Amino acid sequence: MKKIFLLLFVTFTFSSCEKDDICDAGTSTTPRLVIEFYDSLIATPTLKNLTDMKAIANGKSDGIVFNSSLAITNPLRFVINSSKIYLPLDPSAPITTYALTNNFGASTANEDVVTFKYTKNKVYVSRACGYKYLFNLTNTNSNILTADSNNWIKNILIVKPNLETENEVHIQIYF
């Protein structure tokens, strides 16, 4: 009888344990918009690095932090020299607008405004991770860029309208 009681006690003790609610760092979260930049002067698509590019969302005073290794007070943390950027979309709105400034801080600085329109889908990930959003771009190639008399962006191409991961390019910008 004591053995049965001990067996039941041990069984109930271990059956009440549950997995820790920790969201694994490798778990997919809300993807950012992945944009690659290409040289518009070459017939074959060739990646081209930006020069001191800064992205600021509409209604914000600071840009997207690209260089997190720089000190918090260093304004260069908002600037990137790369052929690829990752921009978050606003899950509380159906559009997100960015001012993309090439050659930021120089006398040749040039700002272009791009607007991304999308639908969103809230997806449950897990109890520990909560929800994430998946986006579907509803723009056409021609209605992303706000035209002005001095656009540095020459063409925009939507490569993958469904934002499900950050492992693929969603937009190509030619300049």
Side-chain angles (χ1 to χ4, degrees):
M1 183 73 164
K2 286 184 181 182
K3 288 182 181 181
I4 293 175
F5 178 72
L6 183 60
L7 181 62
L8 288 173
F9 177 74
V10 170
T11 303
F12 285 120
T13 301
F14 287 113
S15 68
S16 65
C17 295
E18 61 182 71
K19 184 178 152 186
D20 287 338
D21 279 344
I22 298 173
C23 186
D24 180 24
T27 303
S28 174
T29 58
T30 298
R32 295 171 292 176
L33 181 68
V34 180
I35 301 174
E36 274 189 337
F37 294 87
Y38 290 86
D39 193 335
S40 66
L41 302 176
I42 300 175
T44 344
T46 306
L47 287 173
K48 182 177 178 182
N49 280 351
L50 300 157
T51 305
D52 297 331
M53 205 280 294
K54 182 175 183 178
I56 301 176
N58 189 34
K60 304 293 181 189
S61 58
D62 287 331
I64 302 297
V65 175
F66 293 114
N67 300 303
S68 59
S69 63
L70 295 174
I72 197 84
T73 57
N74 189 336
L76 293 177
R77 71 184 188 280
F78 300 118
V79 178
I80 191 167
N81 294 307
S82 176
S83 62
K84 185 184 286 188
I85 62 172
Y86 299 81
L87 298 177
L89 297 178
D90 184 356
S92 66
I95 65 168
T96 300
T97 300
Y98 280 98
L100 302 179
T101 305
N102 199 18
N103 296 320
F104 180 77
S107 61
T108 57
N110 189 348
E111 178 182 285
D112 283 354
V113 176
V114 291
T115 301
F116 302 103
K117 298 176 185 176
Y118 46 84
T119 59
K120 57 192 178 276
N121 185 21
K122 190 175 183 180
V123 177
Y124 180 74
V125 177
S126 70
R127 190 170 104 184
C129 299
Y131 290 87
K132 70 177 182 178
Y133 286 91
L134 300 179
F135 300 98
N136 184 31
L137 295 173
T138 58
N139 291 84
T140 62
N141 293 332
S142 62
N143 71 354
I144 295 174
L145 179 65
T146 301
D148 64 32
S149 62
N150 190 26
N151 284 115
W152 65 270
I153 296 174
K154 303 304 179 200
N155 191 23
I156 297 178
L157 180 63
I158 299 171
V159 178
K160 179 122 175 65
N162 298 323
L163 281 72
E164 296 171 0
T165 71
E166 293 180 1
N167 299 334
E168 52 201 7
V169 175
H170 305 112
I171 300 281
Q172 292 177 343
I173 293 181
Y174 295 81
F175 72 104

